[in-house]
Amino acid sequence: MHDRRRVRVFCYATTAADGSAHRAKIEREAGVFVACAAWPTQRIVERIAADGIHVLVNLNGYTKGARNEIFAARPAPVLVAFMGFAGTLGAGWCDYVVADPVVCPPWTVRSEVRARRRRRQRMAGAQGTERAQGTERAQGTERAQPPSPPPPLDFGELDPEEDAGPWVYTERMIYMPHTYFVNDHRQGFREDDELRALAPAPGDALWRAEQDARHRMRRELFPQLGDGVFIFANFNQLYKIDPSLFRLWLRILERAPSAVIWLLRFPAAGEDHLRRVAREWAGDAVAARLVFTDVAPKHMHIKRGRIADAFLDTTECNAHTTAVDILWSGTPVLTWPRHEHKLCSRVAASVVCAAVGADAGQMVVGDAEAYVDRAVRWATEATYTYEYAYPPADPAPAPALAPDAALAAAPMRGILEPDPQTGLVQHKLCGGPAMDLRFRLFMQRDQSRLFDTQRWTRNLERGLEEAWRRWVAGDDDLIEEDCDGRDDRDDCDDCDDCDLIEDDVQRRVEWSRWIEDDIAECLAKDPKAPVFAPPGRSIWVCDEDDAMPAQTWVREMLAWNKD
């Protein structure tokens, strides 16, 4: 999907071919594909340098089979980390991380913290100098002031004697407008034939077809569960379930007696351990409501995600690809971005934000109590009703059994079998907060920013082009900014450095105001600016058609503590 007029894509494969369709697709579609798994590091470095690569992207980070020594040799001018490792590389040889302000809040980024601190120090110094000059003028002793020293440069290396402050990320960010997480679900995972056939039909008909398909699949997979059972699910590997989270899940089951939690045997040995702990902590009745199934192939995994009524995310390390799979199926995800400094605990919040925009707070919470309360509310406020109708090919039904006018105008195809005695089809209709979210996720997913891969690709190109432009222009170092006339905006009544505020909410408010004002000022000068990129700081990519730009999420995160 890259614009081949502006971008030429080289792929250096440092792992052996596995014969998969995904590998074949990459080999086929990359502009230049180099299979170099068996090459020594020096040969790979020389090949990248000879190819004249401008921006080299690290897709592995600190994961199995990574070849980070290639990046440490700096065979390209600009080095970027993306996707493979959910965290900072903490290395001077990585310049940028492709991220968004939800997964990597700006107050955790070294370059942003330093820039804000230096601005405030310069403001304080300027105000002190102005007061001293005013006193000297009044006394007739005014003297010429020496020029200010040049600003220190920021090369990304760590100073062991530096007062580090609260930052975590040594890299600067390329902040994407919606989410850093890319996927191809819109292109690669469409629905059953009966739903695709209904795509041109009115929305009510398509939504009824989806509910019928869910009902059918649920009965096939869980024939032992009654229709009134609320199914929570989590499809992550079981190692992501830490003891504190498991206790929260058991509390949810205790407070929502009609709910079950559906987990995967991933690995199979985990089932016995979790059941044993559940019995010890919550008793046999609660433990019996843990339901396990085997891992399914990818296409079936995405397809059967629609069976769940809601997805309970793991909080230390979120669902990543799995969260996107679940949102594509229309199932709401309940997540808690537990740690500010830990990217892997914030990914699900990021993809939820991209999926539903300003309504993300309905699925993202800010603490353990809100997590439990929201889940219990979804389960206990769910409603179930039934409607009966003849299949479309049958004669018109009696008035008392006729479906509503909208559905009568767009009759359903035979997803569910009619009752052999009455000839009627039973349609299960669900309601409640979780179902309201499902309706929006399913009906609007083709318009969702999360699944707009073409838009995501264009925005990535903007960010990478700016990183390259900075290197070419030589203005990639942190410089001091002119603070004249900005005192009213940057003053903080309660502290000297907003990155050191102990009150988290107040700290976020100050950062939100600072970032949004900076970007607004930039866009006021050039409304079509592709990026906001102060020298030496992070790059904020601006979408050309966006009502929810990246910087607003800094403010939106403040509301996640409210249930």
Side-chain angles (χ1 to χ4, degrees), residues 265-344:
R265 299 183 181 101
F266 197 16
E271 178 178 359
D272 289 341
H273 294 304
L274 288 175
R275 288 194 186 281
R276 173 179 55 79
V277 173
R279 285 193 295 270
E280 293 174 358
W281 289 357
D284 291 342
V286 170
R289 287 189 279 133
L290 296 177
V291 179
F292 288 82
T293 62
D294 292 331
V295 178
K298 179 71 171 181
H299 69 284
M300 182 54 66
H301 158 74
I302 293 178
K303 193 173 179 180
R304 74 181 188 178
R306 58 154 60 120
I307 296 174
D309 293 295
F311 185 91
L312 293 177
D313 192 25
T314 45
T315 55
E316 286 293 338
C317 184
N318 291 168
H320 293 187
T321 301
T322 300
V324 178
D325 296 340
I326 288 295
L327 290 168
W328 176 254
S329 76
T331 299
V333 172
L334 177 60
T335 189
W336 166 27
R338 192 168 188 169
H339 304 290
E340 281 192 342
H341 66 278
K342 196 172 180 182
L343 192 157
C344 66

Side-chain angles (χ1 to χ4, degrees), residues 395-536:
L401 299 176
D404 61 78
L407 293 174
M412 297 304 307
R413 292 159 174 80
I415 294 177
L416 299 176
E417 295 295 326
D419 183 277
Q421 294 183 344
T422 65
L424 295 171
V425 174
Q426 181 193 65
H427 300 286
K428 179 184 177 183
L429 306 180
C430 304
M435 184 55 61
D436 292 343
L437 286 168
R438 174 181 292 279
F439 176 81
R440 175 172 179 181
L441 287 167
F442 180 77
M443 297 302 293
Q444 298 183 12
R445 63 184 181 174
D446 282 324
Q447 292 76 47
S448 167
R449 295 293 192 256
L450 176 60
F451 302 113
D452 192 342
T453 316
Q454 184 66 64
R455 178 188 293 270
W456 187 95
T457 304
R458 290 196 305 269
N459 288 328
L460 177 66
E461 290 172 352
R462 288 190 181 94
L464 297 181
E465 285 173 347
E466 172 60 21
W468 171 245
R469 185 206 63 77
R470 282 178 163 188
W471 188 88
V472 171
D475 62 357
D476 200 25
D477 298 318
L478 179 63
I479 63 173
E480 304 290 353
E481 300 178 52
D482 183 6
C483 300
D484 294 341
R486 301 162 74 101
D487 296 359
D488 58 337
R489 190 184 69 190
D490 287 288
D491 277 345
C492 178
D493 294 335
D494 300 312
C495 68
D496 293 329
D497 284 309
C498 285
D499 51 293
L500 299 179
I501 296 177
E502 294 183 3
D503 185 326
D504 281 346
V505 173
Q506 183 185 352
R507 173 168 55 91
R508 293 170 184 166
V509 168
E510 291 296 325
W511 273 92
S512 169
R513 187 176 63 173
W514 179 50
I515 294 291
E516 287 198 67
D517 286 354
D518 268 359
I519 296 179
E521 183 177 321
C522 170
L523 295 180
K525 298 175 182 176
D526 182 6
K528 295 185 178 181
V531 295
F532 167 68

Side-chain angles (χ1 to χ4, degrees), residues 71 127 129 133-134 168 203 207 225 238 401 434 440 453 539 553-554:
F71 293 84
Q127 291 168 353
T129 300
Q133 288 177 340
V168 174
W207 176 237
L225 296 182
L238 298 179
L401 299 176
R440 175 172 179 181
T453 316
I539 297 170
W553 287 113
V554 182

Side-chain angles (χ1 to χ4, degrees), residues 352-423:
V352 164
C353 288
V356 297
D359 291 333
Q362 297 182 43
M363 289 185 273
V364 183
V365 297
D367 56 50
E369 289 304 316
Y371 183 92
V372 172
D373 291 344
R374 187 73 55 87
V376 170
R377 177 176 170 239
W378 284 0
T380 56
E381 294 185 11
T383 62
Y384 310 96
T385 59
Y386 298 93
E387 287 187 1
Y388 298 85
Y390 288 105
D394 285 355
L401 299 176
D404 61 78
L407 293 174
M412 297 304 307
R413 292 159 174 80
I415 294 177
L416 299 176
E417 295 295 326
D419 183 277
Q421 294 183 344
T422 65

Side-chain angles (χ1 to χ4, degrees), residues 94-109:
C94 185
D95 303 315
Y96 297 93
V97 172
V98 177
D100 60 63
V102 174
V103 293
C104 297
W107 49 84
T108 65
V109 179

